[in-house]
Amino acid sequence: VVTLEFKINYVKPTKGALQLRAQAEVVGRSKRTAVCRCELFAEVGNGWVQVAVAQGTVQAVGAEQQD
C-alpha cells in the first residue's frame, strides 16, 4: 500500500504516562483505498486519557491486490 494522506492531532502531552493504548478502525473502504482512524490513550493515575488522534488514507498498489 501507499499512503495518500496522514494526519495526527496531539490532544495532550503524555508526561508521566505509565502505558499507552491504541484503538484503530477502518472508517471506510473502496476497492483500492481505505480510510483508517486511530486514537491513542495514556494511562495517567487510575484512568485513561486520550492523547492523540490520527487518520490516514491508503491505497493498494501492485498485482497482489485483493477485493
Side-chain angles (χ1 to χ4, degrees):
V1 297
V2 294
T3 302
L4 301 177
E5 177 188 24
F6 192 75
K7 180 179 179 177
I8 302 173
N9 293 102
Y10 298 99
V11 181
K12 292 185 179 181
T14 60
K15 186 176 181 180
L18 301 175
Q19 291 186 336
L20 297 175
R21 179 179 71 194
Q23 295 178 329
E25 66 178 332
V26 176
V27 177
R29 68 180 291 259
S30 67
K31 189 172 183 176
R32 292 187 50 163
T33 62
V35 177
C36 304
R37 177 180 168 89
C38 180
E39 296 178 317
L40 184 66
F41 298 87
E43 185 180 19
V44 180
N46 292 330
W48 292 89
V49 177
Q50 187 177 41
V51 294
V53 179
Q55 182 167 303
T57 304
V58 294
Q59 182 176 31
V61 295
E64 62 277 348
Q65 295 178 24
Q66 297 180 353
D67 291 330

